[in-house]
Amino acid sequence: MDNCCSFNSIFSGIISEESSTSFEDDSPFIWFKLLRKINDFYLDALHATFKEKCYIFDPKKVNLENGLNKEEFIKAIDEVFGESKYTAESIAIFNEIDNNEKGEITWEEFLDFSEKQLRHTVEAKLVLGEPKVICCPHLKRETINKILPLETKNYFCYALISKHGCVGLYDGNMNFLLSYTIIMNREDVDKSDDERRRKKNRWITDAVFAPNRQMFIITNSTRSITIYDASNLHHIPLWLIIGCPSILTSLCFLDKKVKPILYSGNEYGEIITFEFHQKDDLFRKKHSDKMSLFYWGELKNEKESVSIKNLGKIHQGAINHLKYFENTECLLTCSKDSKKSVMIKTKIKEYIFNVKKGVNCCYLSNKLKQLITGSEDGKIHVFNIFVTKNPIQIIKLHKTGIIDLIILECNNYSISCSRDGYLILMDLKEFVPLQTLCIQFQAFNELGKIIEWGKNSLCPGPKRQQTKEKELNLNENYDVWERTNILITCCNNLVSLDLHFLDGKIRNFDSSVLPPPPLQNSVLIPVHWKISEEKREIKCEVSEWDENLSEHIKSLEFILNKDLIKPEDRNNINFKISQLEAKKNQMRRAVAEGAPYLALDLPNISELQLSPNLPIPDQKKIQRIVQKSYRLLSAASQRSIIFSSSSPSSSSRSKSRSSIIEFD
């Protein structure tokens, strides 16, 4: 980075002539006003003036840099700004830099002074900790496309989705739980996970989680939508919609209790909405025991369950990001389209923001009334959400394209990540970088490795349990990013970065992380399945005016002895699970009584007898042995103990060999 670029990064590329947040006029450092005045245009002109008057060319050595004296520096400032009202500020800056009284200052000294002073104007209340590498066992050198937190009121876990559809479930402490491969098209229904994973000609485009419905929705490049039941760790496929008109590149689920809506953006810049009308399910279930398959054309006839609308083409390119804000009822979309880069759609008006190079990512804060965008040229644009034409700031801090950024509303900070692995913490009030951190991912050091970034490279840390006392003490500014750490992904690498808040606010960081959902939820057993387990005694007080009631009740006791379970119910998986649950309860009671063997299922002892087709020779000795065997077996079947020991009156020989059958 040359001197001009480094100075540009210090001043954050200010475009507006007057900054939105300026220093007090009565500040003892009057030169702050001049430093805050300089933008990209003034910076280039001032640098050219320094080069013209300060550099001397020596062909034998190198370019030698001489400094400007006080008069030349004041004249250079006046030439750049075209006026002489900053003479006092110029003299103050020169005197502060020339503390050794050598009578001149250089361009490097001017840059060092500006960087030192501007960086100390804002006191950081947040510090990014050291990055920690996390191993992901379910990945096989596949790029992590997205980290999706599956977060409910009582449970929390991460779903790490690879590029080619392998999903790994991890708890809040990033301990591996299980993995499976997503069904992307009709051919995958009858294939195993290994066979699905071998196909590399398709990839996941986006995924979203509906917490109220506890459903996991995924889209891919084969123009299909797959919906899983994510109420437990064992995700069950429910619906597969194939043959969509286009590839859905982004998803957002508005999880209303009545008529939830799925917003989706496609590769052509269109927004398609799915409004669901059923109470508990999204689409109609064709089968109760397997996944339901729908073609896109069939959904037109499913008006009782879903209504599909196309809101039209909003962007000229694919929609990169889509989010709906329920509080303000506005929809946010962004694209690499330079004419319509970002759109905020409300019921009354549409706000269109234009960025020259388009937008890779964006983040909207309704609390701060700010919109920040990240572009491929490394610039961060900061907009007021109600002023679409001119941005508040254009900040050039990154050398490469920005792949993701977030806003921490609690401190008015932003964190941005670029393709070269640099994370920059910036203050959104003063637009000053507070901390720069370079993450050296392992993929950067692999020769010939293609560096790929997923859909969302920044993910918040785990949700923690909240007691009533802590809920009362939590600050109102607590947001989804106010966690103990954040996760950053690149290729198949995952890094955890601790967040150290220094503002003294009470946070819920010392409580335990919410546990992951169970492997399998308990089954709701129908009442008529439990009737035959144990007979219930019917107690009824017979009134004087109805003496025949007891006789009527006795006549209905046959219902308790009747098996009401249908034959088809006996093969139902839920019925078998209910039997296992009943057996577990029986075992618990037996263990509590100290006799677990009472809960064992022992087979019935059948009558002992010789085979009727046993061939018997004509020898008298063998016939006597067979007849004696018949007599012993018939006697043993009538006793409760087979071949029991003889009584005390028996001989010593019979006592020692009581369980042995002897033949003469």
Side-chain angles (χ1 to χ4, degrees), residues 354-413:
N354 301 329
V355 179
K356 186 177 181 180
K357 297 293 183 179
V359 169
N360 288 343
C361 52
C362 64
Y363 198 98
L364 174 64
S365 173
N366 287 314
K367 179 183 176 182
L368 303 178
K369 308 300 180 185
Q370 286 184 348
L371 169 71
I372 61 174
T373 64
S375 304
E376 194 62 35
D377 56 0
K379 292 182 179 180
I380 298 176
H381 292 70
V382 183
F383 291 90
N384 186 307
I385 60 176
F386 301 111
V387 181
T388 61
K389 293 184 178 180
N390 297 321
I392 301 174
Q393 294 277 27
I394 297 181
I395 305 163
K396 185 67 169 68
L397 295 174
H398 294 276
K399 299 179 182 179
T400 57
I402 300 172
I403 50 97
D404 202 4
L405 46 77
I406 60 172
I407 293 179
L408 286 83
E409 296 180 345
C410 56
N411 297 107
N412 292 1
Y413 291 165

Side-chain angles (χ1 to χ4, degrees), residues 333-365:
T333 61
C334 72
S335 173
K336 291 186 177 181
D337 182 12
S338 59
K339 295 182 179 179
K340 293 183 179 180
S341 304
V342 181
M343 186 205 68
I344 301 177
K345 182 179 179 61
T346 62
K347 292 184 177 180
I348 303 175
K349 186 180 179 181
E350 293 183 358
Y351 298 90
I352 306 296
F353 301 86
N354 301 329
V355 179
K356 186 177 181 180
K357 297 293 183 179
V359 169
N360 288 343
C361 52
C362 64
Y363 198 98
L364 174 64
S365 173

Side-chain angles (χ1 to χ4, degrees), residues 108 160 165 228 234 258 263 290 328 428 490 535 597 614:
E108 292 292 339
L160 270 68
Y228 281 82
H234 182 63
V258 180
Y263 291 90
K290 63 180 181 179
T328 56
L428 291 179
C490 176
K535 297 181 180 180
Y597 52 86
L614 182 66

Side-chain angles (χ1 to χ4, degrees), residues 601-614:
D601 292 332
L602 299 177
N604 295 326
I605 300 176
S606 59
E607 183 179 355
L608 298 176
Q609 59 182 357
L610 296 178
S611 174
N613 299 325
L614 182 66

Side-chain angles (χ1 to χ4, degrees), residues 51 54 59 105 151 160 180 221 278 308 312 328 339 358 416 434 447 452 473 492 503 545 578 592 655:
K51 291 177 63 176
C54 297
I105 62 174
E151 181 178 317
L160 270 68
Y180 65 94
S221 60
Q278 297 189 90
I308 303 175
T328 56
K339 295 182 179 179
S416 55
L434 303 175
L447 185 62
E452 294 180 306
N473 296 330
N492 59 338
D503 53 4
W545 53 271
S578 68
K655 287 182 181 179

Side-chain angles (χ1 to χ4, degrees), residues 41 75 128 166 168 176 191 230 298-299 391 453 467 471 512 599 635:
F41 175 77
K75 186 178 179 181
L128 303 179
C166 184
F176 176 69
K191 292 183 178 180
E298 296 182 40
L299 297 180
W453 297 85
T467 60
E471 287 179 357
S512 59

Side-chain angles (χ1 to χ4, degrees), residues 156-158 170-175 461-463 485 513-516:
F156 180 89
C157 68
Y158 287 107
Y170 295 76
D171 63 5
N173 298 318
M174 294 310 298
N175 297 316
K463 185 178 180 182
N485 64 306
V513 178
L514 285 178

Side-chain angles (χ1 to χ4, degrees), residues 234-248:
H234 182 63
H235 292 183
I236 302 173
L238 298 178
W239 296 283
L240 175 63
I241 294 91
I242 60 177
C244 298
S246 59
I247 299 176
L248 303 180

